[in-house]
Amino acid sequence: MADARRTTGKTTESVADTMKAAADKAKQGFADHVTEPARRAGERMKDAGAKAAENSSAIGVKLLDQAEANMKEAFAAMRAAAEAKDLSQVMKIQGDFLRDQGSRSMTQAREVGELILQFGRDAVAPINRKD
């Protein structure tokens, strides 16, 4: 009977050790496959958000620079029109200004569009990063 108790005691310890090892393995598996990937994904999202905020500021500055350039051109055209000798000169100045402004607007829109595309790629890069 004493031998049976010793065997049962060892078996109980063995089962407890096996269960503890299985629980440790499950805990590590959860950390490896759920917790750690979720943490990395959160860090990537944070990086992407910071990059987006930085890029939106750059777009705002670009738009202000473009508006400033447009205003300078508009005032230059108004000065030239004010100094014109006759109506035909005013019409020419106005036509030149409108043609140039149309060209400037297309260039500026293209520049901002390219910035937005690049910033979009930059913002998504941390999310797509495999680590």
Side-chain angles (χ1 to χ4, degrees), residues 66-95:
Q66 290 176 348
E68 181 180 12
N70 291 341
M71 289 304 298
K72 285 180 180 178
E73 292 297 324
F75 281 115
M78 285 189 277
R79 278 191 191 93
E83 295 171 358
K85 304 289 183 220
D86 58 30
L87 185 58
S88 65
Q89 233 181 353
V90 171
M91 296 303 285
K92 181 181 180 328
I93 292 167
Q94 185 178 16

mmCIF file with all atom_site columns, all heavy atoms in Angstrom, residues 66-95:
data_model
loop_
_atom_site.group_PDB
_atom_site.id
_atom_site.type_symbol
_atom_site.label_atom_id
_atom_site.label_alt_id
_atom_site.label_comp_id
_atom_site.label_asym_id
_atom_site.label_entity_id
_atom_site.label_seq_id
_atom_site.pdbx_PDB_ins_code
_atom_site.Cartn_x
_atom_site.Cartn_y
_atom_site.Cartn_z
_atom_site.occupancy
_atom_site.B_iso_or_equiv
_atom_site.pdbx_formal_charge
_atom_site.auth_seq_id
_atom_site.auth_comp_id
_atom_site.auth_asym_id
_atom_site.auth_atom_id
_atom_site.pdbx_PDB_model_num
ATOM 1   N N   . GLN A 1 66 ? 2.701   78.725  -51.846 1.00 0.00 ? 66 GLN A N   1
ATOM 2   C CA  . GLN A 1 66 ? 2.068   78.914  -53.152 1.00 0.00 ? 66 GLN A CA  1
ATOM 3   C C   . GLN A 1 66 ? 1.128   80.124  -53.143 1.00 0.00 ? 66 GLN A C   1
ATOM 4   O O   . GLN A 1 66 ? 1.105   80.900  -54.097 1.00 0.00 ? 66 GLN A O   1
ATOM 5   C CB  . GLN A 1 66 ? 1.309   77.651  -53.562 1.00 0.00 ? 66 GLN A CB  1
ATOM 6   C CG  . GLN A 1 66 ? 2.225   76.502  -53.903 1.00 0.00 ? 66 GLN A CG  1
ATOM 7   C CD  . GLN A 1 66 ? 1.477   75.233  -54.223 1.00 0.00 ? 66 GLN A CD  1
ATOM 8   O OE1 . GLN A 1 66 ? 0.268   75.110  -53.988 1.00 0.00 ? 66 GLN A OE1 1
ATOM 9   N NE2 . GLN A 1 66 ? 2.182   74.259  -54.761 1.00 0.00 ? 66 GLN A NE2 1
ATOM 10  N N   . ALA A 1 67 ? 0.370   80.284  -52.078 1.00 0.00 ? 67 ALA A N   1
ATOM 11  C CA  . ALA A 1 67 ? -0.532  81.433  -51.979 1.00 0.00 ? 67 ALA A CA  1
ATOM 12  C C   . ALA A 1 67 ? 0.261   82.741  -51.979 1.00 0.00 ? 67 ALA A C   1
ATOM 13  O O   . ALA A 1 67 ? -0.134  83.717  -52.627 1.00 0.00 ? 67 ALA A O   1
ATOM 14  C CB  . ALA A 1 67 ? -1.387  81.326  -50.710 1.00 0.00 ? 67 ALA A CB  1
ATOM 15  N N   . GLU A 1 68 ? 1.385   82.738  -51.275 1.00 0.00 ? 68 GLU A N   1
ATOM 16  C CA  . GLU A 1 68 ? 2.235   83.927  -51.249 1.00 0.00 ? 68 GLU A CA  1
ATOM 17  C C   . GLU A 1 68 ? 2.765   84.255  -52.648 1.00 0.00 ? 68 GLU A C   1
ATOM 18  O O   . GLU A 1 68 ? 2.723   85.408  -53.081 1.00 0.00 ? 68 GLU A O   1
ATOM 19  C CB  . GLU A 1 68 ? 3.408   83.706  -50.289 1.00 0.00 ? 68 GLU A CB  1
ATOM 20  C CG  . GLU A 1 68 ? 4.330   84.898  -50.172 1.00 0.00 ? 68 GLU A CG  1
ATOM 21  C CD  . GLU A 1 68 ? 5.494   84.648  -49.219 1.00 0.00 ? 68 GLU A CD  1
ATOM 22  O OE1 . GLU A 1 68 ? 5.729   83.498  -48.810 1.00 0.00 ? 68 GLU A OE1 1
ATOM 23  O OE2 . GLU A 1 68 ? 6.176   85.634  -48.885 1.00 0.00 ? 68 GLU A OE2 1
ATOM 24  N N   . ALA A 1 69 ? 3.222   83.244  -53.371 1.00 0.00 ? 69 ALA A N   1
ATOM 25  C CA  . ALA A 1 69 ? 3.722   83.456  -54.735 1.00 0.00 ? 69 ALA A CA  1
ATOM 26  C C   . ALA A 1 69 ? 2.600   83.986  -55.636 1.00 0.00 ? 69 ALA A C   1
ATOM 27  O O   . ALA A 1 69 ? 2.817   84.907  -56.442 1.00 0.00 ? 69 ALA A O   1
ATOM 28  C CB  . ALA A 1 69 ? 4.298   82.156  -55.294 1.00 0.00 ? 69 ALA A CB  1
ATOM 29  N N   . ASN A 1 70 ? 1.405   83.427  -55.498 1.00 0.00 ? 70 ASN A N   1
ATOM 30  C CA  . ASN A 1 70 ? 0.265   83.877  -56.307 1.00 0.00 ? 70 ASN A CA  1
ATOM 31  C C   . ASN A 1 70 ? -0.087  85.338  -56.010 1.00 0.00 ? 70 ASN A C   1
ATOM 32  O O   . ASN A 1 70 ? -0.398  86.111  -56.926 1.00 0.00 ? 70 ASN A O   1
ATOM 33  C CB  . ASN A 1 70 ? -0.945  82.980  -56.073 1.00 0.00 ? 70 ASN A CB  1
ATOM 34  C CG  . ASN A 1 70 ? -0.751  81.587  -56.629 1.00 0.00 ? 70 ASN A CG  1
ATOM 35  O OD1 . ASN A 1 70 ? 0.105   81.364  -57.483 1.00 0.00 ? 70 ASN A OD1 1
ATOM 36  N ND2 . ASN A 1 70 ? -1.533  80.648  -56.142 1.00 0.00 ? 70 ASN A ND2 1
ATOM 37  N N   . MET A 1 71 ? -0.049  85.698  -54.735 1.00 0.00 ? 71 MET A N   1
ATOM 38  C CA  . MET A 1 71 ? -0.359  87.093  -54.374 1.00 0.00 ? 71 MET A CA  1
ATOM 39  C C   . MET A 1 71 ? 0.696   88.055  -54.921 1.00 0.00 ? 71 MET A C   1
ATOM 40  O O   . MET A 1 71 ? 0.362   89.142  -55.406 1.00 0.00 ? 71 MET A O   1
ATOM 41  C CB  . MET A 1 71 ? -0.472  87.243  -52.850 1.00 0.00 ? 71 MET A CB  1
ATOM 42  C CG  . MET A 1 71 ? -1.720  86.597  -52.269 1.00 0.00 ? 71 MET A CG  1
ATOM 43  S SD  . MET A 1 71 ? -3.262  87.192  -53.013 1.00 0.00 ? 71 MET A SD  1
ATOM 44  C CE  . MET A 1 71 ? -3.203  88.907  -52.597 1.00 0.00 ? 71 MET A CE  1
ATOM 45  N N   . LYS A 1 72 ? 1.948   87.681  -54.851 1.00 0.00 ? 72 LYS A N   1
ATOM 46  C CA  . LYS A 1 72 ? 3.014   88.535  -55.397 1.00 0.00 ? 72 LYS A CA  1
ATOM 47  C C   . LYS A 1 72 ? 2.802   88.756  -56.888 1.00 0.00 ? 72 LYS A C   1
ATOM 48  O O   . LYS A 1 72 ? 2.945   89.886  -57.380 1.00 0.00 ? 72 LYS A O   1
ATOM 49  C CB  . LYS A 1 72 ? 4.391   87.911  -55.135 1.00 0.00 ? 72 LYS A CB  1
ATOM 50  C CG  . LYS A 1 72 ? 4.849   88.032  -53.710 1.00 0.00 ? 72 LYS A CG  1
ATOM 51  C CD  . LYS A 1 72 ? 6.222   87.397  -53.505 1.00 0.00 ? 72 LYS A CD  1
ATOM 52  C CE  . LYS A 1 72 ? 6.660   87.520  -52.058 1.00 0.00 ? 72 LYS A CE  1
ATOM 53  N NZ  . LYS A 1 72 ? 7.966   86.879  -51.822 1.00 0.00 ? 72 LYS A NZ  1
ATOM 54  N N   . GLU A 1 73 ? 2.469   87.699  -57.596 1.00 0.00 ? 73 GLU A N   1
ATOM 55  C CA  . GLU A 1 73 ? 2.220   87.815  -59.030 1.00 0.00 ? 73 GLU A CA  1
ATOM 56  C C   . GLU A 1 73 ? 0.993   88.686  -59.305 1.00 0.00 ? 73 GLU A C   1
ATOM 57  O O   . GLU A 1 73 ? 0.987   89.491  -60.236 1.00 0.00 ? 73 GLU A O   1
ATOM 58  C CB  . GLU A 1 73 ? 2.054   86.429  -59.669 1.00 0.00 ? 73 GLU A CB  1
ATOM 59  C CG  . GLU A 1 73 ? 3.330   85.600  -59.686 1.00 0.00 ? 73 GLU A CG  1
ATOM 60  C CD  . GLU A 1 73 ? 4.427   86.234  -60.522 1.00 0.00 ? 73 GLU A CD  1
ATOM 61  O OE1 . GLU A 1 73 ? 4.141   86.847  -61.567 1.00 0.00 ? 73 GLU A OE1 1
ATOM 62  O OE2 . GLU A 1 73 ? 5.601   86.112  -60.118 1.00 0.00 ? 73 GLU A OE2 1
ATOM 63  N N   . ALA A 1 74 ? -0.040  88.531  -58.491 1.00 0.00 ? 74 ALA A N   1
ATOM 64  C CA  . ALA A 1 74 ? -1.257  89.329  -58.671 1.00 0.00 ? 74 ALA A CA  1
ATOM 65  C C   . ALA A 1 74 ? -0.963  90.813  -58.430 1.00 0.00 ? 74 ALA A C   1
ATOM 66  O O   . ALA A 1 74 ? -1.398  91.677  -59.211 1.00 0.00 ? 74 ALA A O   1
ATOM 67  C CB  . ALA A 1 74 ? -2.361  88.844  -57.728 1.00 0.00 ? 74 ALA A CB  1
ATOM 68  N N   . PHE A 1 75 ? -0.215  91.123  -57.375 1.00 0.00 ? 75 PHE A N   1
ATOM 69  C CA  . PHE A 1 75 ? 0.122   92.529  -57.108 1.00 0.00 ? 75 PHE A CA  1
ATOM 70  C C   . PHE A 1 75 ? 1.037   93.097  -58.194 1.00 0.00 ? 75 PHE A C   1
ATOM 71  O O   . PHE A 1 75 ? 0.885   94.262  -58.581 1.00 0.00 ? 75 PHE A O   1
ATOM 72  C CB  . PHE A 1 75 ? 0.768   92.683  -55.724 1.00 0.00 ? 75 PHE A CB  1
ATOM 73  C CG  . PHE A 1 75 ? -0.248  92.681  -54.614 1.00 0.00 ? 75 PHE A CG  1
ATOM 74  C CD1 . PHE A 1 75 ? -0.259  91.657  -53.679 1.00 0.00 ? 75 PHE A CD1 1
ATOM 75  C CD2 . PHE A 1 75 ? -1.188  93.697  -54.503 1.00 0.00 ? 75 PHE A CD2 1
ATOM 76  C CE1 . PHE A 1 75 ? -1.194  91.649  -52.658 1.00 0.00 ? 75 PHE A CE1 1
ATOM 77  C CE2 . PHE A 1 75 ? -2.120  93.703  -53.482 1.00 0.00 ? 75 PHE A CE2 1
ATOM 78  C CZ  . PHE A 1 75 ? -2.131  92.666  -52.549 1.00 0.00 ? 75 PHE A CZ  1
ATOM 79  N N   . ALA A 1 76 ? 1.944   92.290  -58.708 1.00 0.00 ? 76 ALA A N   1
ATOM 80  C CA  . ALA A 1 76 ? 2.810   92.758  -59.791 1.00 0.00 ? 76 ALA A CA  1
ATOM 81  C C   . ALA A 1 76 ? 1.970   93.087  -61.021 1.00 0.00 ? 76 ALA A C   1
ATOM 82  O O   . ALA A 1 76 ? 2.195   94.112  -61.686 1.00 0.00 ? 76 ALA A O   1
ATOM 83  C CB  . ALA A 1 76 ? 3.869   91.707  -60.121 1.00 0.00 ? 76 ALA A CB  1
ATOM 84  N N   . ALA A 1 77 ? 0.986   92.242  -61.320 1.00 0.00 ? 77 ALA A N   1
ATOM 85  C CA  . ALA A 1 77 ? 0.115   92.489  -62.473 1.00 0.00 ? 77 ALA A CA  1
ATOM 86  C C   . ALA A 1 77 ? -0.738  93.739  -62.239 1.00 0.00 ? 77 ALA A C   1
ATOM 87  O O   . ALA A 1 77 ? -0.946  94.549  -63.153 1.00 0.00 ? 77 ALA A O   1
ATOM 88  C CB  . ALA A 1 77 ? -0.772  91.281  -62.736 1.00 0.00 ? 77 ALA A CB  1
ATOM 89  N N   . MET A 1 78 ? -1.233  93.935  -61.009 1.00 0.00 ? 78 MET A N   1
ATOM 90  C CA  . MET A 1 78 ? -2.034  95.129  -60.708 1.00 0.00 ? 78 MET A CA  1
ATOM 91  C C   . MET A 1 78 ? -1.188  96.400  -60.830 1.00 0.00 ? 78 MET A C   1
ATOM 92  O O   . MET A 1 78 ? -1.661  97.418  -61.351 1.00 0.00 ? 78 MET A O   1
ATOM 93  C CB  . MET A 1 78 ? -2.648  95.030  -59.310 1.00 0.00 ? 78 MET A CB  1
ATOM 94  C CG  . MET A 1 78 ? -3.826  94.072  -59.243 1.00 0.00 ? 78 MET A CG  1
ATOM 95  S SD  . MET A 1 78 ? -4.715  94.149  -57.678 1.00 0.00 ? 78 MET A SD  1
ATOM 96  C CE  . MET A 1 78 ? -3.701  93.077  -56.671 1.00 0.00 ? 78 MET A CE  1
ATOM 97  N N   . ARG A 1 79 ? 0.049   96.348  -60.390 1.00 0.00 ? 79 ARG A N   1
ATOM 98  C CA  . ARG A 1 79 ? 0.947   97.510  -60.530 1.00 0.00 ? 79 ARG A CA  1
ATOM 99  C C   . ARG A 1 79 ? 1.180   97.833  -62.000 1.00 0.00 ? 79 ARG A C   1
ATOM 100 O O   . ARG A 1 79 ? 1.134   98.991  -62.411 1.00 0.00 ? 79 ARG A O   1
ATOM 101 C CB  . ARG A 1 79 ? 2.287   97.240  -59.847 1.00 0.00 ? 79 ARG A CB  1
ATOM 102 C CG  . ARG A 1 79 ? 2.267   97.467  -58.377 1.00 0.00 ? 79 ARG A CG  1
ATOM 103 C CD  . ARG A 1 79 ? 3.676   97.438  -57.771 1.00 0.00 ? 79 ARG A CD  1
ATOM 104 N NE  . ARG A 1 79 ? 3.566   97.411  -56.340 1.00 0.00 ? 79 ARG A NE  1
ATOM 105 C CZ  . ARG A 1 79 ? 3.548   96.317  -55.586 1.00 0.00 ? 79 ARG A CZ  1
ATOM 106 N NH1 . ARG A 1 79 ? 3.676   95.145  -56.142 1.00 0.00 ? 79 ARG A NH1 1
ATOM 107 N NH2 . ARG A 1 79 ? 3.405   96.419  -54.281 1.00 0.00 ? 79 ARG A NH2 1
ATOM 108 N N   . ALA A 1 80 ? 1.442   96.764  -62.765 1.00 0.00 ? 80 ALA A N   1
ATOM 109 C CA  . ALA A 1 80 ? 1.682   96.962  -64.193 1.00 0.00 ? 80 ALA A CA  1
ATOM 110 C C   . ALA A 1 80 ? 0.439   97.536  -64.861 1.00 0.00 ? 80 ALA A C   1
ATOM 111 O O   . ALA A 1 80 ? 0.533   98.442  -65.705 1.00 0.00 ? 80 ALA A O   1
ATOM 112 C CB  . ALA A 1 80 ? 2.092   95.645  -64.854 1.00 0.00 ? 80 ALA A CB  1
ATOM 113 N N   . ALA A 1 81 ? -0.746  97.042  -64.489 1.00 0.00 ? 81 ALA A N   1
ATOM 114 C CA  . ALA A 1 81 ? -1.989  97.550  -65.068 1.00 0.00 ? 81 ALA A CA  1
ATOM 115 C C   . ALA A 1 81 ? -2.211  99.013  -64.668 1.00 0.00 ? 81 ALA A C   1
ATOM 116 O O   . ALA A 1 81 ? -2.687  99.824  -65.469 1.00 0.00 ? 81 ALA A O   1
ATOM 117 C CB  . ALA A 1 81 ? -3.170  96.693  -64.629 1.00 0.00 ? 81 ALA A CB  1
ATOM 118 N N   . ALA A 1 82 ? -1.860  99.370  -63.445 1.00 0.00 ? 82 ALA A N   1
ATOM 119 C CA  . ALA A 1 82 ? -2.018  100.751 -62.982 1.00 0.00 ? 82 ALA A CA  1
ATOM 120 C C   . ALA A 1 82 ? -1.095  101.705 -63.743 1.00 0.00 ? 82 ALA A C   1
ATOM 121 O O   . ALA A 1 82 ? -1.418  102.880 -63.915 1.00 0.00 ? 82 ALA A O   1
ATOM 122 C CB  . ALA A 1 82 ? -1.741  100.839 -61.481 1.00 0.00 ? 82 ALA A CB  1
ATOM 123 N N   . GLU A 1 83 ? 0.036   101.194 -64.200 1.00 0.00 ? 83 GLU A N   1
ATOM 124 C CA  . GLU A 1 83 ? 0.993   102.020 -64.940 1.00 0.00 ? 83 GLU A CA  1
ATOM 125 C C   . GLU A 1 83 ? 0.772   101.968 -66.453 1.00 0.00 ? 83 GLU A C   1
ATOM 126 O O   . GLU A 1 83 ? 1.485   102.659 -67.200 1.00 0.00 ? 83 GLU A O   1
ATOM 127 C CB  . GLU A 1 83 ? 2.418   101.564 -64.616 1.00 0.00 ? 83 GLU A CB  1
ATOM 128 C CG  . GLU A 1 83 ? 2.800   101.781 -63.155 1.00 0.00 ? 83 GLU A CG  1
ATOM 129 C CD  . GLU A 1 83 ? 4.130   101.128 -62.782 1.00 0.00 ? 83 GLU A CD  1
ATOM 130 O OE1 . GLU A 1 83 ? 4.755   100.457 -63.645 1.00 0.00 ? 83 GLU A OE1 1
ATOM 131 O OE2 . GLU A 1 83 ? 4.537   101.289 -61.626 1.00 0.00 ? 83 GLU A OE2 1
ATOM 132 N N   . ALA A 1 84 ? -0.212  101.212 -66.899 1.00 0.00 ? 84 ALA A N   1
ATOM 133 C CA  . ALA A 1 84 ? -0.461  101.057 -68.338 1.00 0.00 ? 84 ALA A CA  1
ATOM 134 C C   . ALA A 1 84 ? -0.880  102.387 -68.950 1.00 0.00 ? 84 ALA A C   1
ATOM 135 O O   . ALA A 1 84 ? -1.526  103.222 -68.304 1.00 0.00 ? 84 ALA A O   1
ATOM 136 C CB  . ALA A 1 84 ? -1.543  100.012 -68.562 1.00 0.00 ? 84 ALA A CB  1
ATOM 137 N N   . LYS A 1 85 ? -0.516  102.570 -70.208 1.00 0.00 ? 85 LYS A N   1
ATOM 138 C CA  . LYS A 1 85 ? -0.810  103.813 -70.931 1.00 0.00 ? 85 LYS A CA  1
ATOM 139 C C   . LYS A 1 85 ? -2.216  103.819 -71.520 1.00 0.00 ? 85 LYS A C   1
ATOM 140 O O   . LYS A 1 85 ? -2.816  104.873 -71.681 1.00 0.00 ? 85 LYS A O   1
ATOM 141 C CB  . LYS A 1 85 ? 0.207   104.028 -72.049 1.00 0.00 ? 85 LYS A CB  1
ATOM 142 C CG  . LYS A 1 85 ? 1.646   104.041 -71.577 1.00 0.00 ? 85 LYS A CG  1
ATOM 143 C CD  . LYS A 1 85 ? 1.943   105.283 -70.784 1.00 0.00 ? 85 LYS A CD  1
ATOM 144 C CE  . LYS A 1 85 ? 3.416   105.300 -70.402 1.00 0.00 ? 85 LYS A CE  1
ATOM 145 N NZ  . LYS A 1 85 ? 3.691   105.752 -69.093 1.00 0.00 ? 85 LYS A NZ  1
ATOM 146 N N   . ASP A 1 86 ? -2.704  102.608 -71.854 1.00 0.00 ? 86 ASP A N   1
ATOM 147 C CA  . ASP A 1 86 ? -4.043  102.558 -72.459 1.00 0.00 ? 86 ASP A CA  1
ATOM 148 C C   . ASP A 1 86 ? -4.710  101.215 -72.128 1.00 0.00 ? 86 ASP A C   1
ATOM 149 O O   . ASP A 1 86 ? -4.112  100.330 -71.531 1.00 0.00 ? 86 ASP A O   1
ATOM 150 C CB  . ASP A 1 86 ? -3.967  102.786 -73.979 1.00 0.00 ? 86 ASP A CB  1
ATOM 151 C CG  . ASP A 1 86 ? -3.083  101.788 -74.697 1.00 0.00 ? 86 ASP A CG  1
ATOM 152 O OD1 . ASP A 1 86 ? -2.967  100.643 -74.225 1.00 0.00 ? 86 ASP A OD1 1
ATOM 153 O OD2 . ASP A 1 86 ? -2.503  102.147 -75.737 1.00 0.00 ? 86 ASP A OD2 1
ATOM 154 N N   . LEU A 1 87 ? -5.957  101.104 -72.562 1.00 0.00 ? 87 LEU A N   1
ATOM 155 C CA  . LEU A 1 87 ? -6.760  99.926  -72.253 1.00 0.00 ? 87 LEU A CA  1
ATOM 156 C C   . LEU A 1 87 ? -6.179  98.658  -72.891 1.00 0.00 ? 87 LEU A C   1
ATOM 157 O O   . LEU A 1 87 ? -6.223  97.585  -72.286 1.00 0.00 ? 87 LEU A O   1
ATOM 158 C CB  . LEU A 1 87 ? -8.210  100.138 -72.719 1.00 0.00 ? 87 LEU A CB  1
ATOM 159 C CG  . LEU A 1 87 ? -9.190  99.029  -72.354 1.00 0.00 ? 87 LEU A CG  1
ATOM 160 C CD1 . LEU A 1 87 ? -9.225  98.831  -70.851 1.00 0.00 ? 87 LEU A CD1 1
ATOM 161 C CD2 . LEU A 1 87 ? -10.575 99.351  -72.888 1.00 0.00 ? 87 LEU A CD2 1
ATOM 162 N N   . SER A 1 88 ? -5.620  98.758  -74.079 1.00 0.00 ? 88 SER A N   1
ATOM 163 C CA  . SER A 1 88 ? -5.058  97.573  -74.727 1.00 0.00 ? 88 SER A CA  1
ATOM 164 C C   . SER A 1 88 ? -3.887  97.017  -73.915 1.00 0.00 ? 88 SER A C   1
ATOM 165 O O   . SER A 1 88 ? -3.709  95.799  -73.830 1.00 0.00 ? 88 SER A O   1
ATOM 166 C CB  . SER A 1 88 ? -4.622  97.883  -76.167 1.00 0.00 ? 88 SER A CB  1
ATOM 167 O OG  . SER A 1 88 ? -3.553  98.803  -76.174 1.00 0.00 ? 88 SER A OG  1
ATOM 168 N N   . GLN A 1 89 ? -3.096  97.887  -73.308 1.00 0.00 ? 89 GLN A N   1
ATOM 169 C CA  . GLN A 1 89 ? -1.991  97.438  -72.461 1.00 0.00 ? 89 GLN A CA  1
ATOM 170 C C   . GLN A 1 89 ? -2.537  96.738  -71.207 1.00 0.00 ? 89 GLN A C   1
ATOM 171 O O   . GLN A 1 89 ? -2.014  95.715  -70.776 1.00 0.00 ? 89 GLN A O   1
ATOM 172 C CB  . GLN A 1 89 ? -1.122  98.640  -72.051 1.00 0.00 ? 89 GLN A CB  1
ATOM 173 C CG  . GLN A 1 89 ? 0.326   98.461  -72.354 1.00 0.00 ? 89 GLN A CG  1
ATOM 174 C CD  . GLN A 1 89 ? 1.140   99.688  -71.907 1.00 0.00 ? 89 GLN A CD  1
ATOM 175 O OE1 . GLN A 1 89 ? 0.606   100.725 -71.486 1.00 0.00 ? 89 GLN A OE1 1
ATOM 176 N NE2 . GLN A 1 89 ? 2.437   99.541  -71.996 1.00 0.00 ? 89 GLN A NE2 1
ATOM 177 N N   . VAL A 1 90 ? -3.598  97.299  -70.630 1.00 0.00 ? 90 VAL A N   1
ATOM 178 C CA  . VAL A 1 90 ? -4.236  96.684  -69.458 1.00 0.00 ? 90 VAL A CA  1
ATOM 179 C C   . VAL A 1 90 ? -4.752  95.296  -69.821 1.00 0.00 ? 90 VAL A C   1
ATOM 180 O O   . VAL A 1 90 ? -4.563  94.321  -69.060 1.00 0.00 ? 90 VAL A O   1
ATOM 181 C CB  . VAL A 1 90 ? -5.378  97.571  -68.914 1.00 0.00 ? 90 VAL A CB  1
ATOM 182 C CG1 . VAL A 1 90 ? -6.184  96.834  -67.841 1.00 0.00 ? 90 VAL A CG1 1
ATOM 183 C CG2 . VAL A 1 90 ? -4.844  98.877  -68.380 1.00 0.00 ? 90 VAL A CG2 1
ATOM 184 N N   . MET A 1 91 ? -5.398  95.176  -70.976 1.00 0.00 ? 91 MET A N   1
ATOM 185 C CA  . MET A 1 91 ? -5.948  93.893  -71.424 1.00 0.00 ? 91 MET A CA  1
ATOM 186 C C   . MET A 1 91 ? -4.822  92.870  -71.638 1.00 0.00 ? 91 MET A C   1
ATOM 187 O O   . MET A 1 91 ? -4.965  91.702  -71.285 1.00 0.00 ? 91 MET A O   1
ATOM 188 C CB  . MET A 1 91 ? -6.768  94.063  -72.698 1.00 0.00 ? 91 MET A CB  1
ATOM 189 C CG  . MET A 1 91 ? -8.005  94.930  -72.494 1.00 0.00 ? 91 MET A CG  1
ATOM 190 S SD  . MET A 1 91 ? -9.092  94.322  -71.204 1.00 0.00 ? 91 MET A SD  1
ATOM 191 C CE  . MET A 1 91 ? -9.834  92.956  -72.032 1.00 0.00 ? 91 MET A CE  1
ATOM 192 N N   . LYS A 1 92 ? -3.703  93.310  -72.200 1.00 0.00 ? 92 LYS A N   1
ATOM 193 C CA  . LYS A 1 92 ? -2.566  92.418  -72.417 1.00 0.00 ? 92 LYS A CA  1
ATOM 194 C C   . LYS A 1 92 ? -2.003  91.952  -71.077 1.00 0.00 ? 92 LYS A C   1
ATOM 195 O O   . LYS A 1 92 ? -1.724  90.759  -70.891 1.00 0.00 ? 92 LYS A O   1
ATOM 196 C CB  . LYS A 1 92 ? -1.473  93.099  -73.236 1.00 0.00 ? 92 LYS A CB  1
ATOM 197 C CG  . LYS A 1 92 ? -0.275  92.183  -73.493 1.00 0.00 ? 92 LYS A CG  1
ATOM 198 C CD  . LYS A 1 92 ? 0.798   92.874  -74.266 1.00 0.00 ? 92 LYS A CD  1
ATOM 199 C CE  . LYS A 1 92 ? 2.000   91.993  -74.533 1.00 0.00 ? 92 LYS A CE  1
ATOM 200 N NZ  . LYS A 1 92 ? 2.366   91.001  -73.599 1.00 0.00 ? 92 LYS A NZ  1
ATOM 201 N N   . ILE A 1 93 ? -1.822  92.891  -70.143 1.00 0.00 ? 93 ILE A N   1
ATOM 202 C CA  . ILE A 1 93 ? -1.307  92.543  -68.812 1.00 0.00 ? 93 ILE A CA  1
ATOM 203 C C   . ILE A 1 93 ? -2.236  91.540  -68.136 1.00 0.00 ? 93 ILE A C   1
ATOM 204 O O   . ILE A 1 93 ? -1.790  90.531  -67.572 1.00 0.00 ? 93 ILE A O   1
ATOM 205 C CB  . ILE A 1 93 ? -1.119  93.811  -67.952 1.00 0.00 ? 93 ILE A CB  1
ATOM 206 C CG1 . ILE A 1 93 ? 0.017   94.662  -68.528 1.00 0.00 ? 93 ILE A CG1 1
ATOM 207 C CG2 . ILE A 1 93 ? -0.879  93.466  -66.488 1.00 0.00 ? 93 ILE A CG2 1
ATOM 208 C CD1 . ILE A 1 93 ? 0.086   96.069  -67.972 1.00 0.00 ? 93 ILE A CD1 1
ATOM 209 N N   . GLN A 1 94 ? -3.532  91.805  -68.216 1.00 0.00 ? 94 GLN A N   1
ATOM 210 C CA  . GLN A 1 94 ? -4.506  90.902  -67.595 1.00 0.00 ? 94 GLN A CA  1
ATOM 211 C C   . GLN A 1 94 ? -4.476  89.529  -68.265 1.00 0.00 ? 94 GLN A C   1
ATOM 212 O O   . GLN A 1 94 ? -4.488  88.499  -67.587 1.00 0.00 ? 94 GLN A O   1
ATOM 213 C CB  . GLN A 1 94 ? -5.909  91.494  -67.667 1.00 0.00 ? 94 GLN A CB  1
ATOM 214 C CG  . GLN A 1 94 ? -6.935  90.657  -66.933 1.00 0.00 ? 94 GLN A CG  1
ATOM 215 C CD  . GLN A 1 94 ? -8.320  91.275  -66.971 1.00 0.00 ? 94 GLN A CD  1
ATOM 216 O OE1 . GLN A 1 94 ? -8.593  92.168  -67.785 1.00 0.00 ? 94 GLN A OE1 1
ATOM 217 N NE2 . GLN A 1 94 ? -9.194  90.796  -66.104 1.00 0.00 ? 94 GLN A NE2 1
ATOM 218 N N   . GLY A 1 95 ? -4.425  89.497  -69.575 1.00 0.00 ? 95 GLY A N   1
ATOM 219 C CA  . GLY A 1 95 ? -4.375  88.219  -70.293 1.00 0.00 ? 95 GLY A CA  1
ATOM 220 C C   . GLY A 1 95 ? -3.118  87.428  -69.947 1.00 0.00 ? 95 GLY A C   1
ATOM 221 O O   . GLY A 1 95 ? -3.179  86.207  -69.723 1.00 0.00 ? 95 GLY A O   1
#
